[in-house]
Amino acid sequence: MSKRIAGPEIERLIQLLAKLPGLGPRSARRAALHLVKKKDQLLIPLAGAFAEAADKVRICSTCGNVDTSEPCTICTDPRRDGTTLVVVEDVSDLWALERAAVLNARYHVLGGTLSPLDGIGPDDLNIAGLVSRVAKGEVTEVVLAVNATVEGQTTAHYITDQLAGLNVKVTRLAHGVPVGGELDYLDEGTLAAAMRSRTAF
Ligand SMILES: [Zn+2]
């Protein structure tokens, strides 16, 4: 058994930090040491920010986004185009698309993908909420911005079927050559998809 080098409070801090994505035990120790050394500048303000966020974080009942207001900031922003709805698997995908800043649309977060092997069916995802949002009539286009995985595409097909009776255009992201990508390095599946979705130059 390894010798303990710090009190239980610091050990607990290290254990919790190590659960964060991108932080292993080694970087968690470094982060914890940095925090306790910078108690006034970092540890205390961060503890306050954590407590406040923990108190206020909600899941938006309209779109499934995570925010400190309900409905969320995106759903209540009057400058966003309410006729285009972008469907994503996770909030991280929403943030990624917002960073790309191509559409000024609203979102719908599914909370995962259909995966029969893992026991995840339509009722485990926010799909019924999507259908009822679209059924209200304001949305004219649903963009399926799901991952280019088997589960993502299965989910996209299922949603397309569910929306079939409604008067809405359903689109999906193009699959193909990444910006800055070299053809020689791409896998055959990506190349084939890029060739199938070729556009006029
Ligand atoms: Zn929302």
Side-chain angles (χ1 to χ4, degrees):
M1 210 179 121
S2 62
K3 270 192 281 183
R4 282 170 63 143
I5 54 167
E9 296 82 3
I10 295 177
E11 290 290 348
R12 179 163 161 72
L13 190 58
I14 295 169
Q15 280 170 13
L16 289 172
L17 285 169
K19 293 185 183 192
L20 292 174
L23 283 194
R26 194 187 166 94
S27 37
R29 258 195 301 278
R30 284 182 59 193
L33 182 58
H34 190 72
L35 285 169
V36 293
K37 275 160 74 180
K38 305 253 177 198
K39 181 180 161 185
D40 292 327
Q41 304 99 306
L42 214 48
L43 184 58
I44 292 173
L46 195 61
F50 275 139
E52 205 171 341
D55 185 43
K56 293 196 174 153
V57 160
R58 304 273 181 280
I59 303 223
C60 177
S61 59
T62 306
C63 74
N65 187 16
V66 175
D67 204 350
T68 51
S69 60
E70 153 71 359
C72 73
T73 309
I74 290 178
C75 283
T76 49
D77 184 350
R79 291 162 300 180
R80 284 182 184 264
D81 171 17
T83 63
T84 308
L85 203 54
V86 182
V87 177
V88 292
E89 291 177 21
D90 195 86
V91 177
S92 60
D93 304 321
L94 185 162
W95 286 15
L97 287 166
E98 281 294 293
R99 282 199 304 276
V102 264
L103 283 185
N104 187 34
R106 296 228 163 90
Y107 291 88
H108 196 86
V109 183
L110 296 173
T113 43
L114 293 176
S115 179
L117 287 178
D118 301 313
I120 302 173
D123 294 342
D124 300 307
L125 304 176
N126 191 11
I127 293 177
L130 171 67
V131 176
S132 60
R133 266 182 100 179
V134 175
K136 285 183 186 148
E138 191 198 358
V139 178
T140 55
E141 180 181 357
V142 169
V143 184
L144 298 173
V146 291
N147 290 334
T149 56
V150 173
E151 291 83 7
Q153 297 312 299
T154 307
T155 310
H157 282 292
Y158 180 82
I159 292 174
T160 307
D161 287 346
Q162 297 300 303
L163 296 175
L166 301 167
N167 184 25
V168 67
K169 182 166 89 171
V170 181
T171 56
R172 67 162 174 86
L173 298 185
H175 298 166
V177 183
V179 175
E182 294 180 36
L183 298 191
D184 195 22
Y185 288 94
L186 296 181
D187 64 282
E188 291 78 12
T190 305
L191 264 179
M195 191 55 91
R196 280 196 298 270
S197 359
R198 64 190 182 277
T199 53
F201 194 63

